[in-house]
Structure formats: structure tokens, C-alpha cells
Amino acid sequence: MKIAVCVKAVPDTETKVAIGADKKDIDRTGVRYIASPYDEFAIEEAIRLKEKLGGETVGFSLGGNEAVDVLRDALARGLDSAVHLKDDLFNNLDPLSTAKALAAAIADGGFDLILCGQQGVGGDNNQVPAILAELLKLPQATVVVKLEIDGPKFKAEREIEGAHEMVEGTLPAVISAQKGLNEPRYPSIKGVMAARRKEITTKDAAALGVKDAIESSKAKVRIVEFSLPPSRPQGKKIEGDAASQAKELVQLLRNEARVI
Amino acid sequence: MAQGILVFIEQRNGRIRKASLEALSEAIRKAKLVGGDVSAAILGDGVQALTAEIVKYNPAKIYCTESAELKEYATESYADVLSEIIKKADPRFVFAANTALSRDLIPRVATRFDAPCISDAVDISVNDNSLEVTKPIYSAKASGKFAFNNPISFVTLRPNVFAAEPASNGSQPVIENVAAPPLNVRAKVTETHAATGTKIELSEASIVVSGGRGIKGPENWGVLQNLCDVLGAALGASRAVVDAGWIDHQHQVGQTGKTVSPQLYIACGISGAMQHLAGMSSSKVIVAINKDADAPIFKLATYSVVGDVLEIVPKIAEEVKRINEN
Ligand SMILES: Cc1cc2nc3c(=O)[nH]c(=O)nc-3n(C[C@H](O)[C@H](O)[C@H](O)COP(=O)(O)OP(=O)(O)OC[C@H]3O[C@@H](n4cnc5c(N)ncnc54)[C@H](O)[C@@H]3O)c2cc1C
Ligand SMILES: Nc1ncnc2c1ncn2[C@@H]1O[C@H](COP(=O)(O)O)[C@@H](O)[C@H]1O
């Protein structure tokens, strides 16, 4: 079983977001990076599948130097090797272009399974796994909370609105991980030591053969500007004992806010 | 040249998603400004009967693909059929509601057209004869506005944000039946299990009542469910109580849960951690009930109630019930 895992380095979810000077990005000064939380489930699933079925696991991350730390951490948890997709052309990439680069890196690797997170927090796009599946011409199951591999087949439980759906399909396939898939482990000290000797290969757009394709798709969508959401107006405090608070609240919801 | 807007109308079990009709209404409002007609696409088994519902919103045309093979959603078959319809309609923009199904389908279809897609739009404006789309980023701590530069572009719209308005201009939409191409599906749905206790779908509910650690224990969900019942609300939860095993993850609101944008969000015993706010800060009216007057949730609240949830919530339910009965 050969497994690819796509990991995105994103600002720590506790980051206080400020807008950069050009308004085309957030202010990156002092930002601490982590693997997107859903990607941790993807990494963990890859390691567990290898423990059970044998094989090889390779992490892929497209991004700047922050991606190296995140890949190193994934290696410490147990991935075998990693590929860092790095190029100035890759700055602030849209999902289509990101997936083009990842697809080029993954395509000829003979992977049976490509694991992603269901969402890269920050961009909050929920797009790359499905695009990747289309580019690689593979079946997909997204937002997966349970995965079983049985020979050349997979069985996945997906989360949809108000229900869970069982999807059965053939490998190779792209699967995106949702919270609940597993409980990610922390890297052990032994793992951290071992990770130092594991290889991270760097590939740029030319090496991946995607320079033209990405220049073309990058031009298809443009950031007009980033902004902070408008602050909400000062609210109203409702005082008194529980009974009078309840009465006043219901009155305000009906007659002032008109929402009930 | 491509023009107009095609709207993908999602249905499940013979019911059209309200969020799809919101997307259709928004398309009609915007098409007036960017030019071209609005068409709708619906696919599935027994969907011919559903076109009457779409007609009320008055698109110029409805593309309909009826096939028993489309009874259950499968990414590949739906992608094949929708792509076929897009080729026929040749629109400049494709809209869909940002639902679980669309998140699975739309990026894949957009890729067949080598087209950009902006997901989870909360505002769409027209500038220079084209669309500009705003979406929350960084868990709603910021917004990004994006513009397209391509013959065809895709947008998915957040449910509950855009108004659904039936419209009529006296004309009758043309209904075009599109035959399904031969379908090759490598991954199919074999079973569906409705989640237990989910009465109203969170992301589409116009009122959400959520509980956090302040409700003290899972035995008290009944108190909140009772308020949900009188308000016709969906039940939400913080991650702390999901992690504690008090309720299924389906109910979680926030960065690693669902994003909701209801008319009214009532946070009961929730502190207001930024990861929770990420999932609900675009709610129109926010009520916070918390015994700690300094809880961060109060910074966002339209109405702040300092007190014990278990004492106040039943009184609110009684009051609503009393008024409803009069
Ligand atoms: C990567 C990451 C992702 C996360 N994703 C999410 C997410 O999607 N959703 C989410 O919700 N959280 C998420 N969290 C967790 C988040 O940081 C908080 O820990 C969580 O939201 C706290 O839940 P809570 O408000 O129920 O609990 P607490 O923070 O413990 O707050 C309980 C509140 O109840 C009040 N209270 C207690 N008793 C009463 C009473 N009798 N009456 C009234 N009020 C009372 C207290 O004053 C307190 O404010 C995430 C965290 C991380 C690190
Ligand atoms: N730059 C990237 N490098 C590696 N994987 C990525 C990257 N961007 C997105 N992904 C993968 O795609 C998933 C969904 O991301 P997104 O579509 O951006 O929400 C993530 O959880 C990752 O698994």
C-alpha cells in the first residue's frame, strides 16, 4: 500500500488576524504555523494503514519554508518521506493551481491512496481534494469519518447534512479526512530523532512541469482585497431576575429584532 | 461567448434544498447586472416533478436530467451530467449552494472546465460587468474579496445568507430534458444513516439554539431541545461538549464543526472561544446566556443575558409558548 498525504501549513488557529499592507494577504509577521487540523487526521490514517497493511507513506506540502517544519513534524509522527513543493510562483495560490502542482507531484508515484484534510483552515476552501481527484482521474470520498481498506476496494463513511453516507469504491482513490476519523498521535522523541534522517525532497514548478499550467490558472482569479469583518454594534444587556430577563428577551426578539 | 448564470439545484429524496433556491434568486438578481439569462439545472430520479417548484423563481430555462441511475448521489455520475448541461448552457458563471453535496461535486466539475471556483460566498457584487465574490477566510476572522478572469467561473453560496424570492415576469421557463451520458461510477453510496436526534438541519436552520459546557451535563439537552421545539430551531453545540461525548459531532458549530448563519443564534453556556465564533459570527441576531458577565461571547451578542442557563432557558421557552398560543 503506497499512500500520499497532502499537508498544508496554516497559521495557528489562535492567530490574531491582521491584514497585510497591500491588503492582498494577512500580515504574516510573527505568525506560527501548524499543519491544518484536518490534515492531522490524514497523516494519522496513513500511519495506521501502513502499520496494518505495510507499504510506504509520503507527505506532500506546497508552500514556503513553513511547509518544511510541518513536513518534519509529519515525518516525526511516522511518515516515511516528504516532498516540499516550493516556488515563488506558488505564493498565495488558488485551489485549482495548488491541486495542479500536487497532482503533478503525485501522479507518477504509483500511489494506491491519496489522503487529504477536508479543509485547509485559513483559506477555508474545501476544494483541493476534489480537484486533485479530477486531475488524477480517480474516484473520491470527501469528509470521511471512517475508512476501511479491503484489497483493491475502500469503504468510507462520509458526513453529510443530518446523515452519514457509506461510499464504496475502488482504489486508487482520493479521500479527505474529517474530524472523527481517528485520534492523531503526538510525535515521540524517538520519532523526532528518526525524522532528522528522513528525506524531504524539494521540487519547483519547472521540475514538476507545471509552470505554464499554473501561470494560466493563477491568472483566472484575482484577490481584490482582504479586510477585517465589520465589528458588530454594541449589544443590549438584559437585567433582572430570570423570569423578567426571559420576558424582556422574548419581547425584544419579537418586536425589535423581529426574528421570532 | 459564454453568458448568463447557470444554477445547480440540489435535491435529495424528492426535496429541493432551500439553499439552492437562494442561489437561484441571487443569480436572477445579479444576471440583470452582468447580462444574460439565468438557467437552472436539476438532476436525479423523479426530478421532472420538481421543476414546478423551480418555475416559481422564474429562470429563463430549466435543464432537467431524469435517470434512475441518478437516484443516489455519486460524485462521478453527477459530475458527468452537470458537465454535459454546462456545455449546453455555456454560462459565464455557475452557482450552487455551499452544501455537503456541492463541496464534493462543484470543485470537481469546475476542474473539467479548467475554471476557478470561489466557495462559501457571503456577498456577491457586480463591478465592471463582472462578479466580485466575498467569502470569510481565517475562520471568519477576515474576509477575502475575489474577482474572476475566465470565460467560465464557479461560485458556491453560503446557505441562509442570500434571500430566496419567488419571482414572476409572466413568462414561462423553457424546460429542456437532457439525456444522461453513459455513466461510469467507481465510488457509490451503498447506505445512508440519518443522524440520531437531528430534527432540523443546522446549516439551513433560521434559528439555532446551541449548548456548551455551561449546560452542566448531557441530561440537560432536553431543556434546550424544548426551546428548539417551540422556536422551530436546530440544536447546536460547542466542541467542548462534543469532545466530552455529550452529543454527536453533527451538532458542533465552529471551526472544526459547521458554519451557521441563522437569523437568530442563541448561545447557552458557551464561553465564545474564537474557534466557536468562527462558525456563528455571521448570524444576524446573537443571544448569549452565560453566568460569567465577562465571557467573550458577550462581545458579539446582540442581547446579553447574564444568568444560569438552566434557570433562564425554560422560562424563555414558556414565554415563547405563551405568546404563540395567544
Ligand atoms: C484547532 C481547534 C479547533 C476548535 N474547533 C472548535 C469548534 O469547531 N467549535 C467549538 O465550539 N470549539 C472549538 N474549539 C474549542 C474552543 O477553543 C473551546 O474550547 C470551546 O469552544 C469551549 O466550549 P464551551 O464554550 O462549551 O466551554 P467553556 O469554554 O468551558 O465555557 C463554558 C461556559 O459556560 C458558562 N457557564 C457555566 N455554567 C453556567 C450556567 N449554569 N449558566 C450559564 N453559563 C454557564 C461559563 O461561564 C463558560 O463561559 C477548537 C479548538 C481548537 C484548538
Ligand atoms: N498547499 C497545500 N499543500 C498540501 N496540501 C494542500 C495544500 N492546500 C490544500 N491541501 C490539501 O487539501 C485539503 C483541503 O484544502 P482546501 O481545499 O484548501 O480547503 C487540505 O486539508 C490538504 O490536505
Side-chain angles (χ1 to χ4, degrees), chain A residues 15 38 100 122 124-125 134 137-138 142 161 164 166 168 220 222 224-225 227 232 236 238 256, chain B residues 100 104 108 114 117 119 135 138 141 143 145 147 149 186 188 190-191 193 256 284 302-304:
Chain A
T15 304
Y38 299 102
K100 281 182 181 175
D124 298 344
N125 292 305
E134 176 64 24
K137 301 264 171 283
L138 296 179
T142 56
E161 290 98 352
H164 282 205
M166 304 299 302
E168 290 182 33
K220 290 169 190 269
R222 177 170 64 83
V224 179
E225 64 169 14
S227 59
R232 294 181 76 97
K236 208 173 250 180
I238 300 173
E256 185 178 85
Chain B
D104 190 75
R108 188 152 189 155
D114 196 24
C117 175
S119 49
K135 69 166 283 160
Y138 296 95
K141 287 186 266 181
S143 309
K145 191 192 247 189
N149 176 26
R186 293 167 294 179
K188 37 162 90 86
T190 51
E191 279 168 67
H193 305 282
T256 41
K284 187 171 161 235
T302 325
Y303 301 117
S304 301

Side-chain angles (χ1 to χ4, degrees), chain A residues 13 37, chain B residues 212-214 216 238-240 252-257 269-271 273 275-276 290-292 295 307-309:
Chain A
T13 57
Chain B
R213 201 135 47 183
K216 299 290 181 231
S238 72
R239 168 162 158 183
Q252 184 179 318
V253 172
Q255 188 173 61
T256 41
I270 292 177
S271 59
Q275 295 94 350
H276 187 80
N290 196 304
K291 69 171 187 197
D292 172 8
D308 185 338
V309 265

Side-chain angles (χ1 to χ4, degrees), chain B residues 299-319:
Chain B
K299 292 204 188 77
L300 222 68
T302 325
Y303 301 117
S304 301
V305 183
V306 179
D308 185 338
V309 265
L310 296 176
E311 209 184 313
I312 294 170
V313 170
K315 296 214 160 59
I316 299 172
E318 265 169 48
E319 185 64 17

Side-chain angles (χ1 to χ4, degrees), chain A residues 94-116:
Chain A
D94 61 284
L96 178 60
S97 305
T98 302
K100 281 182 181 175
L102 287 169
I106 291 169
D108 299 325
F111 290 100
D112 303 293
L113 183 64
I114 294 109
L115 285 165
C116 295

Side-chain angles (χ1 to χ4, degrees), chain A residues 45 143-148 155-158 166 175 178 180-182:
Chain A
E45 199 65 14
V143 201
V144 167
V145 293
K146 209 187 236 171
L147 181 64
E148 281 167 38
K155 195 167 169 189
E157 185 173 335
R158 309 183 53 222
M166 304 299 302
I175 303 284
Q178 166 69 323
L181 182 61
N182 51 45

Side-chain angles (χ1 to χ4, degrees), chain A residues 54-260:
Chain A
E56 188 190 343
T57 54
V58 186
F60 292 84
S61 187
L62 175 148
N65 294 331
E66 70 283 357
V68 177
D69 298 336
V70 161
L71 284 173
R72 191 66 70 191
D73 182 74
L75 294 175
R77 286 169 200 247
L79 295 192
D80 296 320
S81 64
V83 181
H84 179 202
L85 287 62
K86 184 172 184 250
D87 198 308
D88 286 344
L89 186 62
F90 297 165
N91 286 342
N92 269 324
L93 272 199
D94 61 284
L96 178 60
S97 305
T98 302
K100 281 182 181 175
L102 287 169
I106 291 169
D108 299 325
F111 290 100
D112 303 293
L113 183 64
I114 294 109
L115 285 165
C116 295
Q118 64 103 358
Q119 174 181 320
V121 311
D124 298 344
N125 292 305
N126 311 82
Q127 290 193 40
V128 168
I131 300 174
L132 204 49
E134 176 64 24
L135 292 172
L136 295 169
K137 301 264 171 283
L138 296 179
Q140 70 185 53
T142 56
V143 201
V144 167
V145 293
K146 209 187 236 171
L147 181 64
E148 281 167 38
I149 303 292
D150 183 9
K153 292 210 178 98
F154 74 85
K155 195 167 169 189
E157 185 173 335
R158 309 183 53 222
E159 205 178 77
I160 58 173
E161 290 98 352
H164 282 205
E165 200 170 71
M166 304 299 302
V167 176
E168 290 182 33
T170 51
L171 296 178
V174 176
I175 303 284
S176 81
Q178 166 69 323
K179 182 184 171 183
L181 182 61
N182 51 45
E183 217 29 82
R185 71 193 69 186
Y186 289 103
S188 63
I189 295 185
K190 211 171 125 218
V192 173
M193 302 294 283
R196 294 195 190 141
R197 291 187 304 274
K198 291 179 182 172
E199 195 183 359
I200 301 181
T201 318
T202 305
K203 289 192 174 167
D204 64 10
L208 293 164
V210 293
K211 202 160 174 293
D212 294 345
I214 289 188
E215 272 168 0
S216 140
S217 54
K218 216 183 157 173
K220 290 169 190 269
V221 56
R222 177 170 64 83
I223 298 170
V224 179
E225 64 169 14
F226 282 8
S227 59
L228 293 177
S231 58
R232 294 181 76 97
Q234 177 78 40
K236 208 173 250 180
K237 211 163 162 177
I238 300 173
E239 322 256 7
D241 62 9
S244 54
Q245 282 176 316
K247 238 189 164 80
E248 185 178 349
L249 176 67
V250 172
Q251 192 275 113
L252 287 166
L253 291 176
R254 267 179 78 88
N255 302 325
E256 185 178 85
R258 295 173 187 276
V259 288
I260 60 170

Side-chain angles (χ1 to χ4, degrees), chain B residues 181-235:
Chain B
L183 301 171
N184 167 32
V185 173
R186 293 167 294 179
K188 37 162 90 86
V189 175
T190 51
E191 279 168 67
T192 308
H193 305 282
T196 46
T198 319
K199 292 191 179 167
I200 297 177
E201 167 48 30
L202 258 183
S203 55
E204 285 187 12
S206 53
I207 304 180
V208 174
V209 175
S210 282
R213 201 135 47 183
I215 72 159
K216 299 290 181 231
E219 65 279 8
N220 292 322
W221 285 120
V223 175
L224 265 57
Q225 186 60 54
N226 190 31
L227 180 59
C228 287
D229 291 344
V230 297
L231 289 172
L235 183 64

